[in-house]
Every structure is written in C-alpha cells, then in structure tokens.
Amino acid sequence: MWADKQQREPLSDASDGPRRRATIHDVAQLAGVSRQTVSRAVNDKGEIDPATKERVLEAARLLDYRPSRFARGLVRKGTVTAGLVIPDLMNPFFPEVAAGVLEAAEQRGWQVVVWDTRTDGVREREALDVLSHQADAVVGYFKNEDEVLARHIGGIPIVLLERGPQQTRFAAVGIDAAAGLEQGIAHLVRTGHRRIGMLDGDRIGAPGPRREAFLAEVRRHGLPVDESWIVLCSGGHSVASGETAMEQLLDKRPDMTAVFGFNDLIAVGAMRAARRRGRQVPDDLAVLGFDGLSLGELVEPALTTLHIDKRRLGRLAVEQVARLRAGEEPLSGAHAWVQPQLVVRDSA
Amino acid sequence: MWADKQQREPLSDASDGPRRRATIHDVAQLAGVSRQTVSRAVNDKGEIDPATKERVLEAARLLDYRPSRFARGLVRKGTVTAGLVIPDLMNPFFPEVAAGVLEAAEQRGWQVVVWDTRTDGVREREALDVLSHQADAVVGYFKNEDEVLARHIGGIPIVLLERGPQQTRFAAVGIDAAAGLEQGIAHLVRTGHRRIGMLDGDRIGAPGPRREAFLAEVRRHGLPVDESWIVLCSGGHSVASGETAMEQLLDKRPDMTAVFGFNDLIAVGAMRAARRRGRQVPDDLAVLGFDGLSLGELVEPALTTLHIDKRRLGRLAVEQVARLRAGEEPLSGAHAWVQPQLVVRDSA
DNA sequence: TTGTAGGCGTTATCAC
DNA sequence: GTGATAACGCCTACAA
C-alpha cells in the first residue's frame, strides 16, 4: 500500500497549470522522513530532533505545504463554525447585531461564516442549503416560514432572530416590542398627542409584532385606530421608503400629530418628508423611531427612539446556539428577549 | 478490518451526555445496508431502489445523521473559504465593503468567514492565525506590518484593502487618494478657501495616503501648510473623535475657513463641533468628507464628500484573490484602485 | 440495485 | 527520536 503512494504523480514542477497541492506525504518524501515526523515538525510537538525539524520545515516551505483543514478536522474534533444570515448589511442595524455575534463567537473560539440575503427569500434558502452542509449551527433573520426553513436547514441547530415563541417553533431571540411600544406611546400621549400614525415595515403575511404592539397600545389609551393610520413601507426598510410612505400617510391623515416609524431609518425618512411638506418636527409632527441607531443622534432634530441593545441581541443568539449544541433547553421568555429603552431626544 | 468498526461503541441512547454523532456507518447498520448505499440515498444518486432509499433516509433521520463536512471536503474538492478581516463593523464604511466581498464571493460559490478585529493589532494576528488554517485566502484591513502579516498568514494568499503598492508587497486594492484630494481641494479653492485644515485618521507610524495627498494638493495650490493645520483623531475614526479633534484644530487655527476630514464620520464630528462653537457651516467654515457614506446625506447641512464605491472595493478584492489562487499576476496600478468622486452637497 | 475495496490527508498510538 | 499502522468519515470505481 505504500507503493501506491509512491506511484502517484510526484508533484512535479514540469506540469504547468495549478498543480496539486503538496501533502504531508510530499514533504516527508522530500525531507526523507516519515509523515509522522513531518506532522511533529509542523505542529511543533516535542519529541523531534531540532535538526530534522529544521530540515522538514525547509522542505515544507519549498513545497508551499499547508495542512489540509479537512483532513485535520476529520481527526481533531472541535472546530465549530456558525452561519450568520443577515438580510441587509447596508442597514446599520444588522452590522451591530453581527458584531455581537462575532464577539460572542470569538470568545468561544467559533468561526462565523456570513451571508447577506438582501431580503430575498430564495437567497435565504440557498444560504441554508450551503450552511446546513458547512456549518454546525445557524443564526439569522429569515422571512421564510418555519416549514420551509426546516426543509432547508437539514437538521442542524438554528436560532431565529427577532421572532417570538408564538412565531416560530425554533429557538429564537426576540425584541420585546410590546414593552417598547408601551413606553413609546405613553411618551407621545404624555406630550399631548392623540392622533398617532405608523409607518410599518414591509412584512409579508401577517402584521409583525411592532405593529401589533402599536395597535394594542394606541387602543389602550383610547386613541383612534384603524387601517387609515398605518402605511406599509414597500421597498425595504430604508430612509427612502420611509419618505415615500410618509407622504402617503400625510395624505391619508393630515390631522395626524405624531408618527411611529417601524425603525429609525424609516423614522428619519418620515422626518424628512414631513419637513419637506412644511411640517415642523416635533412642533407640528412628532416622530418616534425604533432601534436606536447612532444615526439618530446625528440627524436634525435628533431622533427620539426605542433603543435596542443590538450587540446583546447577537450575543444572546450565540448563547442560544451554545445551549442547543449542548443539548440543553434554549432560553425562552424574558431571558431570550431584549428590552427596548425609550431614548427621548428632540423629535418627539 | 470490518470487525473493528463493528466493535466500536454502538451509538447507544443509554449513555447520556452529548453522544457521538452518527456516521454513515451507523446509518448503514441501522438500515441494514452498506455504507455505499447510504451514500447513494443521502446524496440523491440514482441507482437505488426507492424502497431502500426510504428506509435509509428514515434511519438517517432517526439517528439525526449529517455527513461530516470534513470527510466530504477531503474527498470532494472545491469548497472555497475566504477570510474577511474588518477593523470595525460599527463604522458604516466597512459593512458596505463587506457587502461587496460577500456578493462577489457568493457569485463564485465561496464562503466568507468574517472577523472584526476592533482595530486591535493583537486580534488581527489571532485572526490570521486561525484563518491561515481554516481559510483558503484572506482579504482585509490590517495595521500590522507586512513582515508581521507574513509571519501569521502561513503562506495562503492575502489581499490587503486600502494599501498602495508602495505600502505593501502583498496584493492589494486601494483608493486613489491623490485623485480624490485633487478634486476636493480644487473645489474648496474654487469656492474661495485659502486656509484649509485637516482632521487626520489615527494611523500609527507614517502618515497615510490621505494626509499625503492633502498636503500635496494644498501645496500645489500655494496654500499655507504645516503641522499646525493638521490634528490627529485619536480614539477611532468616529464622530466623537472628530468632534474632539475639531475643537483642537479650531483652537490652533481659528483663522481656518475649511477643513478636510479623514472620513465622513470625522467630518460629521467636525461639523458638530464647529457649530457648537458658533461657526456656521458652510458659511463660516466649509467641511469636506471622504467616503461618501449615506449618512452624509442625512445630516444638516448635507456633507460634501469624496465618494467611494465601497462595494466595488470589496468585489475587486475578491477578484484579486481569485487571481492569486489561479496563479495569475494580481491586478496592479489603476486596475486595483477605486477612484473617489467628488459629491458636492451643502457643507462645502 | 447493491456491496467491496481503497484512498482522500492528517494525527494518535505504539512499537522500535 | 523516529516510523509503521490504524483510524477519522466519506466517496468513487469496480465487482457482483
């Protein structure tokens, strides 16, 4: 069986084109030692003569030898790779979540392979198809339904970001929208507003938790509510879509005195549109955001918002993964929730 | 030799704790077929009786079997993993570059594992230590010197972001700061400015290309230049550090009428500090940024800046990696450079 | 349609 | 100190 190996094409320089990568065997041959000895040299084990070690390393250098991560992974367990699926890296919210994930992963010695799905359901599935083969677990944002995810996740642990228990059967880490809106609407009411609109995010299917929480709170305060107070932002959660939606809402509800934006980007868009229409913020129209992007401090007037600890969200997700991997029960309820915090600035 | 395998602990449910992961062999045993047949079923090959296939898949499901990516990678070549090293995900510049990298990588069917070094040289090296083992190539931002990088990259291809040929011996993708500053300073001069300051980024060691280009252009126009016109932003390329630095510069050079910020974040900080000091922007003081973050359109006044196609930067980097891997010469000179584009808004 | 044999590149174990 | 041998888990080729 040794003979076989001898026969394999000897990694010649003669053949051009991207030639076969050197293996431990090639190095051993060139250095005139056994594969095991090469391994010892390369991995800095003791039990080896300094002279041979040097000779082996020289051979390795010559052949540009690098151990195969696959062969290594096969034999040494312990390399953990997590997949992170993000809908839109261009939205400042997600890099911050990602930073939290990366930070927690680094602490555990995990690697993270990142996918940007650009809010595309198809790409989401492709990401899962790959990650289910290449990663040990996945955390991320998905708009596909549980059932679809299940079909593509191939049995590896998955943690959904910003999904409540009632919205998924997978482990999840969520945002307590209800608690947030309670603070937010209370603030608007306290400052005298009775007619509050909302610029919702563009969710497919059922309305999301933010809208539901908004409706619940507005009702609780006995304020007018129906569909006429809400406009959906189509075309992404961006400033631009916020502007467009705000124009519509202003047309539908000229009597509105305050508006809640699905996120800060949309809220900023709302401010811009309102001012372009000649409405002063916050005097003629108060604007409340959701997310707490640092961007909000920079615009004028500075954005009042429900701030979320996005890094923590990411770290929590990694923690959930760790539990899943350990066979433990994932955190649930309040432990898997991040609480928004009202930050009052100038826009409301 | 078969017997050996038979003897291994039979993946019992009895033992608690995280039990050994099922292998193809376990599935074969449970389904009463050969490993090969399992492979056929799992990989959806033809040549298999639908009935056996179903039986095998059921067994696989039962055992929660998932093929080892290591064993697979060992035998099927072609999985490419690139490492992406970013200094600060919180700075909106980098997610956009990352998006470009991810996009190009996805098109090639590569995976990307991401590291955030938080501008820490030590973490940079750690990232390289891991990636040199786990990735097939690396692209990223590094402040460590070539020599240090070489020591940690372990021979795999590396592409440096925003380094010119004279700054590194590795393949690189840069920004043509000179071309950018030429437009920028010309604009300031055209609008009547003669006393222009700069808020430089906090580079260790030699001044970076942006400062050099700034100095060259200012000199070319015969304007006053010396160290008194430049302040270094310590503590990161952030709005806050820009504010602090601007205060200092304003103290040193109260006669200054325009300022160039190392990047948009710093420039925004400059605007804020200036206004706090009672200076109107752009009337009392013009501010020019560098990067072209979308953030710049949102602040007031909107930031005039040297816009960079950051996605393209990322895509280019991936292209460089591809060349390196193919054994081709990396792109150099203008082909590996991204050209800044002056975008005139209200701040200058 | 199914099974056998062998190799992918590495490390651990145990001799020498 | 060094080497032979046997895994690691999977897939391809070939045989039955």
Side-chain angles (χ1 to χ4, degrees):
Chain A
M1 62 180 301
W2 240 117
D4 289 341
K5 305 227 172 197
Q6 298 271 17
Q7 273 160 25
R8 96 127 67 183
E9 188 187 348
L11 187 65
S12 74
D13 275 333
S15 74
D16 45 3
R19 60 175 176 287
R20 183 172 65 79
R21 237 180 73 183
T23 75
I24 198 174
H25 175 246
D26 300 313
V27 179
Q29 210 168 249
L30 180 58
V33 298
S34 74
R35 319 214 283 307
Q36 180 50 27
T37 299
V38 175
S39 176
R40 280 192 270 255
V42 168
N43 296 317
D44 237 1
K45 305 265 174 179
E47 324 176 313
I48 183 174
D49 187 296
T52 30
K53 177 168 176 179
E54 193 40 56
R55 190 155 41 91
V56 169
L57 290 181
E58 179 55 29
R61 215 168 298 132
L62 233 52
L63 296 177
D64 187 28
Y65 165 72
R66 268 164 296 129
S68 145
R69 69 167 168 282
F70 297 115
R72 258 201 184 151
L74 199 52
V75 85
R76 322 212 259 237
K77 317 297 183 188
T79 323
V80 178
T81 301
L84 172 59
V85 178
I86 292 281
D88 178 16
L89 264 180
M90 228 55 47
N91 178 338
F93 181 87
F94 298 109
E96 203 160 336
V97 177
V101 170
L102 294 182
E103 184 187 331
E106 184 188 330
Q107 280 173 356
R108 294 177 183 271
W110 299 357
Q111 300 179 73
V112 180
V113 352
V114 179
W115 282 74
D116 182 345
T117 60
R118 281 166 265 169
T119 338
D120 175 12
V122 176
R123 231 187 295 274
E124 265 180 29
R125 277 173 251 136
E126 289 169 352
L128 283 184
D129 287 337
V130 173
L131 290 175
S132 60
H133 289 315
Q134 304 290 352
D136 302 300
V138 170
V139 352
Y141 288 83
F142 296 91
K143 50 188 220 186
N144 277 285
E145 316 261 311
D146 271 14
E147 204 209 334
V148 180
L149 298 180
R151 205 153 46 235
H152 290 264
I153 193 56
I156 76 178
I158 182 171
V159 173
L160 266 34
L161 257 20
E162 289 189 49
R163 292 267 190 104
Q166 63 281 43
Q167 302 169 72
T168 181
R169 62 173 163 88
F170 296 114
V173 173
I175 291 176
D176 192 345
L181 268 298
E182 183 180 339
Q183 300 174 60
I185 301 302
H187 173 72
L188 292 178
V189 169
R190 192 184 316 130
T191 47
H193 296 281
R194 305 278 310 162
R195 294 184 302 282
I196 308 176
M198 171 175 183
L199 265 21
D200 194 10
D202 189 11
R203 283 244 182 180
I204 25 61
R210 299 191 194 177
R211 183 208 284 229
E212 302 223 307
F214 167 79
L215 291 173
E217 282 305 311
V218 167
R219 269 195 206 101
R220 212 164 60 78
H221 286 276
L223 308 183
V225 257
D226 62 49
E227 290 305 316
S228 72
W229 294 95
I230 299 186
V231 168
L232 219 56
C233 293
S234 48
H237 298 169
S238 65
V239 173
S241 75
E243 294 186 50
T244 312
M246 187 60 177
E247 307 245 320
Q248 297 170 33
L249 189 50
L250 246 15
D251 288 338
K252 282 167 75 175
R253 278 295 168 186
D255 55 333
M256 170 178 69
T257 72
V259 63
F260 164 59
F262 175 86
N263 69 11
D264 281 359
L265 255 24
I266 287 173
V268 167
M271 289 209 297
R272 293 167 70 83
R275 300 176 82 187
R276 215 164 33 217
R277 286 282 189 95
R279 307 268 215 135
Q280 293 296 320
V281 177
D283 297 334
D284 302 334
L285 188 87
V287 176
L288 172 67
F290 197 112
D291 274 359
L293 303 184
S294 53
L295 165 66
E297 308 173 41
L298 269 20
V299 295
E300 210 142 312
L303 187 65
T304 292
T305 188
L306 296 163
H307 180 274
I308 292 162
D309 189 339
K310 297 160 280 295
R311 288 189 93 98
R312 186 167 131 75
L313 198 66
R315 285 197 307 264
L316 263 179
V318 171
E319 195 173 326
Q320 290 286 55
V321 169
R323 288 179 173 265
L324 256 28
R325 283 178 46 84
E328 300 170 23
E329 202 64 22
L331 294 173
S332 66
H335 302 290
W337 287 62
V338 172
Q339 296 296 327
Q341 182 73 43
L342 176 66
V343 176
V344 177
R345 289 200 276 251
D346 304 327
S347 74
Chain B
M1 62 180 303
W2 239 118
D4 289 341
K5 305 227 171 192
Q6 299 271 15
Q7 274 159 23
R8 95 130 65 183
E9 188 188 347
L11 187 64
S12 74
D13 274 334
S15 73
D16 46 2
R19 61 174 175 288
R20 183 173 66 80
R21 233 179 76 182
T23 75
I24 198 174
H25 175 246
D26 301 313
V27 179
Q29 210 169 251
L30 180 58
V33 298
S34 76
R35 321 217 279 309
Q36 178 49 23
T37 300
V38 175
S39 177
R40 279 192 271 256
V42 168
N43 297 319
D44 236 2
K45 304 266 174 177
E47 327 176 312
I48 184 176
D49 186 298
T52 32
K53 177 168 176 180
E54 193 41 56
R55 189 155 42 91
V56 169
L57 290 181
E58 179 54 31
R61 213 168 300 133
L62 233 52
L63 296 177
D64 187 29
Y65 165 72
R66 268 165 294 128
S68 146
R69 68 168 170 283
F70 297 114
R72 260 203 182 149
L74 200 52
V75 86
R76 319 212 262 236
K77 317 298 181 186
T79 323
V80 178
T81 301
L84 173 59
V85 179
I86 292 281
D88 178 16
L89 265 179
M90 229 54 48
N91 178 337
F93 182 87
F94 298 109
E96 203 159 336
V97 177
V101 170
L102 293 182
E103 185 187 330
E106 184 188 330
Q107 281 173 355
R108 294 176 183 272
W110 298 357
Q111 301 179 76
V112 180
V113 352
V114 179
W115 282 73
D116 183 344
T117 60
R118 281 165 265 170
T119 338
D120 176 12
V122 176
R123 231 186 295 273
E124 265 180 29
R125 278 172 250 137
E126 289 170 351
L128 284 184
D129 287 337
V130 173
L131 290 176
S132 60
H133 289 317
Q134 304 290 352
D136 302 299
V138 170
V139 352
Y141 287 83
F142 296 91
K143 50 188 220 186
N144 277 285
E145 316 261 312
D146 271 13
E147 204 208 335
V148 180
L149 297 182
R151 205 154 45 237
H152 290 265
I153 193 57
I156 76 177
I158 182 171
V159 172
L160 266 35
L161 257 21
E162 289 189 47
R163 292 267 190 104
Q166 63 282 42
Q167 302 169 72
T168 181
R169 63 175 163 86
F170 295 114
V173 173
I175 290 176
D176 192 345
L181 268 298
E182 184 182 335
Q183 301 174 61
I185 302 301
H187 173 71
L188 292 178
V189 168
R190 192 184 316 128
T191 48
H193 297 281
R194 306 278 310 162
R195 295 184 303 282
I196 309 175
M198 173 175 181
L199 265 23
D200 195 9
D202 189 11
R203 283 243 182 180
I204 25 63
R210 298 191 194 179
R211 183 208 282 227
E212 302 223 307
F214 168 78
L215 291 173
E217 282 305 311
V218 166
R219 269 193 208 103
R220 214 165 59 77
H221 285 277
L223 309 183
V225 256
D226 62 49
E227 291 303 317
S228 73
W229 294 95
I230 299 186
V231 168
L232 219 56
C233 293
S234 49
H237 297 171
S238 63
V239 173
S241 75
E243 293 186 51
T244 313
M246 186 61 179
E247 306 244 323
Q248 297 171 32
L249 188 52
L250 246 16
D251 288 339
K252 282 167 74 175
R253 279 297 169 183
D255 54 333
M256 171 178 69
T257 71
V259 63
F260 164 59
F262 176 86
N263 69 11
D264 281 0
L265 255 25
I266 288 173
V268 167
M271 289 209 297
R272 292 168 71 85
R275 299 176 84 187
R276 214 163 35 215
R277 285 282 188 95
R279 307 269 214 133
Q280 293 297 320
V281 177
D283 297 334
D284 303 333
L285 188 87
V287 176
L288 172 67
F290 197 113
D291 275 359
L293 302 185
S294 53
L295 165 67
E297 308 172 42
L298 270 21
V299 296
E300 211 143 309
L303 187 64
T304 292
T305 189
L306 296 163
H307 181 274
I308 292 163
D309 189 340
K310 297 161 280 297
R311 288 189 93 100
R312 186 167 129 74
L313 199 65
R315 285 196 308 262
L316 263 179
V318 170
E319 195 173 329
Q320 291 286 54
V321 170
R323 288 177 173 266
L324 256 29
R325 283 178 45 84
E328 299 170 23
E329 202 63 22
L331 292 173
S332 67
H335 302 290
W337 287 62
V338 172
Q339 296 298 326
Q341 181 73 43
L342 176 66
V343 176
V344 177
R345 290 200 274 252
D346 304 328
S347 74

